[in-house]
Amino acid sequence: MAKIDTRLNVAPVPPDEIFALNGAYAVDTHPQKVSLGVGVYRTDDGKPWPLPVVQKAEKELVVDDDLFRHEYTAIEGDVPFLGIARDLMFGFEGKHSEEEAKSRIGSVQTVAGTGANHLGALFLARHMKPRSVWLSNPSWANHQTIWELAGVPRKTYPYYRAATRSFDFEGMMSTLESEAQEGDAVLLHACAHNPTGLDPNKEQWVAIADLCERKKLFPFFDSAYQGFASGSVEEDAWAVRYFFNNKPDMEMCVAQSFSKNFGLYGQRVGAFHYCTNRSSTSIRDIVVNNLCHLIRGEFSMGPRVGCSIVKKVLTSDELTADWHQDLQVMSSRIKAMRKALYDELVRLQTPGTWEHIIEQNGMFSYTGLSPKQVYALKDKYHIYLLKSGRASISGLSEKNVAYVAQAIDDVIRNEN
Ligand code: LMR
C-alpha cells in the first residue's frame, strides 16, 4: 500500500451501511429500483411525505413573524418545547402527583435521537461510569458507535431467536441476570425495535423492569418511534411510562427523537430526559447543569426551527388532533404493506414461513434473508436492504410489492 503523507494516525473506517446504501440507491438508474434500506417514511408513490400538520404549522410560524425565530435559545434548548416533549413521553394526565413526577425529570434539547443517545452516553460515561453498556443483539448499528465514542465497553444480550424469528426473552433475561453488574447501563428500545421489529409484551416489560431494579441496572431508553409504530402515542410510550411510574426509586433516562413521528428527519429534533429517583430534585438540577456543560462544549444548543414546529403542533388541540391523524396514515400504510408482502409470498408459495412479517412492529421487518440473498436482490433486482436482512417496509408500495415478493421468491429458491 502506498504510504499516506499525513501527520495523522488514521486508518479507514467502514462506511455507515445505512447511509452508504442510501447513496448507492440514489445513483442507481434502474427504473424498478426499490429502497428498503434507510428507515424513512415514504408514500405509496415512493415519495417523502412532509406531514400535512407540519406544513400547516410551518405556514403559521411564518405568519407569526416572531422576531426571535432565528435567535439563540438557552443552552438547554427551547424550554417550553422541552416541557411539551417530556409530557408527550411520560404522559402525566390524571396523576395525583403530577407536579412531583415532573420535578423528577431533567430535560435538555439534543441534535435529534442520535444526539440524545450520544449526550446520554457521554454523560453516563463521565458521571456514572458504568462498567459496561448492554446492547441488544442485534441493535441499531449506531448504538455501537455512540457508546464506543463515549468510551464505554459494549456487551450484548440475546434478543433474536433466528430459528423462530422471535424475541428471545429468556435469553435476554438469563444473560442480564447472570452477567450484568450493578451500575451497568442497559439500552432498551422503547417500541418498534430496530432492526428486528420485535418488542417485549407488557408482561415481559414488567419483568425487565423488575430485573433492572433488583440488579441495580440503569435503563437507558431509546424512543425513536412514539406514535409512528402503533398509531397511538400512549401505546408506544407504555414501557417508558411503566418504568417511570412503577419504579420511582430507580433512575433511568430516555433519548427521544421526533424524526419519524413528525417526519422532521433533517431538522434534527430531539430531547434527552434524565429521571432522578423520587428524593432528588436538587440532583435533577445538577444533572441539567452538567448536561448543559457538555452541550455548550459540543454544539452550544440544539437547532431551533424543528422544535418550533413540534411546539406549534402540540400546543394546539386542533393541530394535535391532525397530528394523530397523520400518525394513523403512516402506521396504517406500513401495516397494510406488511400484509401485502405477506399475501404475495403466500400466494407464490415461497418456501419458508412469513408470518413474522405481519407480526413485527414499526418501520422494519427482519426478513430472515441471508446476506447472499440480500446481495442477489440488489444485484439482480435493484432492491436495497441491509445485509442483516432488515427491510424498511415503508419502501414498499401497491406498485412495487408484487415485484419485491417475486424477487424474494426467486432468491429464496435459488440463492442458498
Ligand atoms: C435507520 O435505522 O435506518 C434510521 O434510524 C436512520 C438512521 O439514522 O440510521
Side-chain angles (χ1 to χ4, degrees), residues 16 18-19 37-40 114 140 142 194 225 260 364 390:
D16 179 85
I18 294 171
F19 282 91
V38 65
V40 290
T114 303
W140 183 46
N142 209 20
N194 179 359
Y225 296 93
K260 326 281 173 172
F364 304 112
R390 187 195 86 167

Side-chain angles (χ1 to χ4, degrees), residues 167 169 172-173 176-177 188 190 199-215 219 221 238-247 250:
F167 169 42
F169 173 63
M172 170 180 181
M173 295 300 276
L176 290 177
E177 183 70 64
L188 301 164
D199 291 325
N201 62 32
K202 289 179 182 161
E203 214 177 294
Q204 290 166 335
W205 275 123
V206 171
I208 295 167
D210 288 345
L211 179 112
C212 289
E213 183 180 45
R214 185 161 39 76
K215 291 209 50 134
F221 277 100
W238 192 91
V240 169
R241 294 179 185 182
Y242 178 84
F243 275 58
F244 179 76
N245 290 324
N246 293 280
K247 305 288 177 196
M250 182 165 71

Side-chain angles (χ1 to χ4, degrees), residues 25 29-35 381-383 399-400 403-404:
Y25 170 79
T29 53
H30 193 274
Q32 278 180 297
K33 67 177 179 174
V34 181
S35 173
Y381 293 100
H382 302 259
I383 298 170
K399 297 179 196 76
N400 68 21
Y403 172 72
V404 172

Side-chain angles (χ1 to χ4, degrees), residues 321-365:
D322 287 355
W323 178 53
H324 289 157
Q325 271 302 114
D326 293 349
L327 288 172
Q328 284 297 337
V329 169
M330 294 190 287
S331 60
S332 326
R333 200 187 87 72
I334 288 183
K335 284 180 200 150
M337 283 302 115
R338 286 183 181 281
K339 177 82 170 58
L341 179 60
Y342 169 78
D343 286 348
E344 272 299 302
L345 291 169
V346 169
R347 191 183 65 75
L348 294 168
Q349 300 185 341
T350 306
T353 58
W354 300 101
E355 279 70 24
H356 58 284
I357 291 179
I358 38 181
E359 283 158 8
Q360 293 160 347
N361 187 26
M363 185 82 92
F364 304 112
S365 173

Side-chain angles (χ1 to χ4, degrees), residues 124-274:
L124 295 194
R126 288 168 72 98
H127 301 294
M128 191 181 289
K129 301 196 190 320
R131 255 178 291 201
S132 307
V133 57
W134 290 86
L135 306 176
S136 59
N137 180 18
S139 195
W140 183 46
N142 209 20
H143 284 144
Q144 283 283 353
T145 308
I146 286 166
W147 287 90
E148 179 203 322
L149 295 180
V152 178
R154 282 85 55 212
K155 291 189 174 162
T156 60
Y157 57 85
Y159 196 81
Y160 179 68
R161 220 185 262 120
T164 48
R165 292 174 186 166
S166 57
F167 169 42
D168 186 2
F169 173 63
E170 291 74 24
M172 170 180 181
M173 295 300 276
S174 68
T175 298
L176 290 177
E177 183 70 64
S178 59
E179 293 178 38
Q181 310 275 317
E182 179 174 338
D184 283 356
V186 183
L187 201 301
L188 301 164
H189 299 224
C191 67
H193 182 269
N194 179 359
T196 66
L198 296 164
D199 291 325
N201 62 32
K202 289 179 182 161
E203 214 177 294
Q204 290 166 335
W205 275 123
V206 171
I208 295 167
D210 288 345
L211 179 112
C212 289
E213 183 180 45
R214 185 161 39 76
K215 291 209 50 134
K216 299 193 172 30
L217 308 178
F218 182 87
F220 189 123
F221 277 100
D222 184 352
S223 175
Y225 296 93
Q226 188 185 0
F228 183 97
S230 69
S232 154
V233 293
E234 279 76 33
E235 191 60 24
D236 293 345
W238 192 91
V240 169
R241 294 179 185 182
Y242 178 84
F243 275 58
F244 179 76
N245 290 324
N246 293 280
K247 305 288 177 196
D249 294 325
M250 182 165 71
E251 300 203 7
M252 58 182 263
C253 69
V254 183
Q256 181 184 25
S257 167
F258 290 86
S259 299
K260 326 281 173 172
N261 55 6
F262 273 82
L264 288 170
Y265 305 94
Q267 292 292 351
R268 315 312 290 143
V269 192
F272 176 73
H273 308 282
Y274 189 95

